[in-house]
Amino acid sequence: MKKFLAAAVIGAVSGVLVTTHYAAPIVAQEVERERTTYEQLDLFGDIFERIRSDYVSEVDEVELIESAITGMLTSLDPHSSYLPPEAFTDMREQTRGEFGGLGIEVTQENGFVKVVTPIDDTPAARAGIQPGDFITHVDGEPILGLALNDAVEMMRGPVGSDIVVTIVREGEEEPFDVTLTRDTITLTVVRSRNEGNTVYLRITTFNDKTYELLEEDMNEKVEDLGGIDSVDGFVIDLRNNPGGLLTQAIEVSDAFLEAGEIVSTRGRDPRDSDRYNATPGDLAQGKPVVVLINGGSASASEIVAGALKDHRRAIIVGTRSFGKGSVQTIMPLQGNGAMRLTTARYYTPSGRSIQNLGVAPDIIVEQRPRVEETEEEAAARQGRSEADLRGSISNDSLSEDELKLLEDELRLAEETADQRQDDYQLAYALDVIRGLNVLAPVGD
């Protein structure tokens, strides 16, 4: 027994020795890493002093430090950045829904400013700016290599003033100039209308009023149709929606889900990881839902599309979304500025990250350019029927109400056909809703 105890003690001591043997290099590495970090900070301070004292002309020390901070943050990823006081104020105004400018959501890629999406009914949208466009010059001045905030600042100016931006667009052989007139941008967060018996809901951004306005518009349009029993379904248009507040994306997703996970976030710090679940209640009351997305649908838009797709609550129609699967936290700093820092990635209910991949639609539908047709072409497309023949026998087997119903159905189909000229993707979504209702069992 004593031998056993001795062996146990020796084993324990050996274990401690082995642990210490391996821990020592780890501790040494940590000490070396900290020493190197402090040496680099000393180097930064030395360079700062040399610039301040020896540069060919006097420098603004505040701007010099802000530039260093900007460089540090932008080296991390395209979405981390420093927000000086003025930029921080502008960002909060955008979240509230009104600001001045051109009406484009931008990011930075390879030193160039890249358009994520133009905002509806803004100078950029009216001028034909498209998602994926690169802005290379502002009023003839190159912006390659500028920090994103500085490039955006160049595009600001008095309301009513003109600005010329140079655009590089895929498929165009040469860069081209676009003249825009700066304006006050007032965001209409939710637009809605009834397309036949389908409720169309256009969400342009996710600010602090999005869910509230969505619920109001849904209830109003359902009431206009005579109640939910008269509704065929809902189309949620998230095309060219650049995103916004995570909390609002969760609420909008929850509006159409009865239960289950909406989205999860995972960061290096466990405190930045969370899981958000739906609560009982479906504003659409089980009616079919189609979500429209495209390459300008980003961030919060992708959370909604991903959640409804994974739960098979909606059919996703359009083209692949932008692919921004990261979460930024706004951290106020001393001096009234702030830091936008990427702190987590988000994952759809299936556990998939959409970072750089986007949400793939269930049905890929490209937007078709409008093609004008002559009256002769329209007549040829419609063709001739039995009713056009002289002396054809009339149909007297239908009542007036039945005839009116058939005429209404034909009118809706013709309106959808006409709409394909203006918005092919929306027309397709409406067709999907009508098709689902045709296949619905009688009595549902």
Side-chain angles (χ1 to χ4, degrees), residues 328-340:
Q328 283 68 47
T329 301
I330 305 297
M331 305 175 182
L333 303 171
Q334 61 182 12
N336 298 321
M339 173 173 61
R340 181 193 283 117

Side-chain angles (χ1 to χ4, degrees), residues 221-289:
K221 293 301 179 287
V222 168
E223 186 177 342
D224 289 345
L225 289 174
I228 193 68
D229 290 339
S230 301
V231 176
D232 287 345
F234 297 83
V235 173
I236 305 171
D237 190 349
L238 298 178
R239 292 174 298 177
N240 295 335
N241 181 323
L245 300 176
L246 172 65
T247 53
Q248 289 292 305
I250 292 167
E251 287 195 58
V252 170
S253 302
D254 195 1
F256 300 95
L257 295 172
E258 291 280 4
E261 183 181 307
I262 295 172
V263 67
S264 62
T265 61
R266 306 175 202 170
R268 187 175 69 177
D269 188 334
R271 291 174 297 180
D272 295 323
S273 301
D274 217 331
R275 190 180 303 273
Y276 302 91
N277 295 310
T279 55
D282 174 4
L283 289 182
Q285 298 186 39
K287 292 288 184 174
V289 176

Side-chain angles (χ1 to χ4, degrees), residues 19-30:
T19 303
T20 305
H21 176 72
Y22 284 106
I26 296 174
V27 173
Q29 289 173 10
E30 187 64 30

Side-chain angles (χ1 to χ4, degrees), residues 94-346:
Q94 290 185 40
T95 303
R96 287 195 295 267
E98 184 172 312
F99 57 100
L102 304 178
I104 47 176
E105 180 79 13
V106 295
T107 186
Q108 200 161 37
E109 186 174 298
N110 299 324
F112 288 105
V113 174
K114 183 179 182 179
V115 176
V116 175
T117 183
I119 299 169
D120 287 357
D121 295 331
T122 63
R126 290 190 289 269
I129 301 297
Q130 298 180 9
D133 284 349
F134 285 93
I135 300 174
T136 61
H137 294 73
V138 174
D139 286 332
E141 294 290 327
I143 58 176
L144 176 63
L146 284 181
L148 185 60
N149 287 335
D150 293 335
V152 169
E153 190 62 33
M154 288 182 67
M155 290 184 267
R156 299 186 193 279
V159 171
S161 61
D162 288 342
I163 178 176
V164 178
V165 296
T166 303
I167 301 293
V168 172
R169 178 177 295 167
E170 185 177 356
E172 297 286 342
E173 292 185 2
E174 298 290 336
F176 57 93
D177 291 339
V178 177
T179 300
L180 305 167
T181 302
R182 298 179 178 96
D183 199 357
T184 299
I185 310 300
T186 301
L187 294 180
T188 304
V189 179
V190 178
R191 293 188 179 88
S192 61
R193 64 179 184 269
N194 288 333
E195 295 280 353
N197 292 330
T198 300
V199 177
Y200 169 79
L201 299 158
R202 164 79 176 136
I203 303 176
T204 62
T205 189
F206 288 87
N207 67 11
D208 55 8
K209 296 290 186 182
T210 299
Y211 173 75
E212 176 185 334
L213 294 171
L214 176 71
E215 184 178 24
E216 288 178 6
D217 277 33
M218 279 188 70
N219 291 336
E220 179 185 318
K221 293 301 179 287
V222 168
E223 186 177 342
D224 289 345
L225 289 174
I228 193 68
D229 290 339
S230 301
V231 176
D232 287 345
F234 297 83
V235 173
I236 305 171
D237 190 349
L238 298 178
R239 292 174 298 177
N240 295 335
N241 181 323
L245 300 176
L246 172 65
T247 53
Q248 289 292 305
I250 292 167
E251 287 195 58
V252 170
S253 302
D254 195 1
F256 300 95
L257 295 172
E258 291 280 4
E261 183 181 307
I262 295 172
V263 67
S264 62
T265 61
R266 306 175 202 170
R268 187 175 69 177
D269 188 334
R271 291 174 297 180
D272 295 323
S273 301
D274 217 331
R275 190 180 303 273
Y276 302 91
N277 295 310
T279 55
D282 174 4
L283 289 182
Q285 298 186 39
K287 292 288 184 174
V289 176
V290 172
V291 175
L292 284 170
I293 61 171
N294 65 2
S297 307
S299 191
S301 299
E302 295 173 292
I303 289 175
V304 175
L308 298 186
K309 177 182 180 179
D310 283 1
H311 284 286
R312 298 187 178 181
R313 180 62 188 93
I315 296 173
I316 313 300
V317 171
T319 55
R320 187 180 295 275
S321 63
F322 185 75
K324 180 183 178 293
S326 59
V327 179
Q328 283 68 47
T329 301
I330 305 297
M331 305 175 182
L333 303 171
Q334 61 182 12
N336 298 321
M339 173 173 61
R340 181 193 283 117
L341 188 66
T342 300
T343 53
R345 291 182 174 90
Y346 71 76

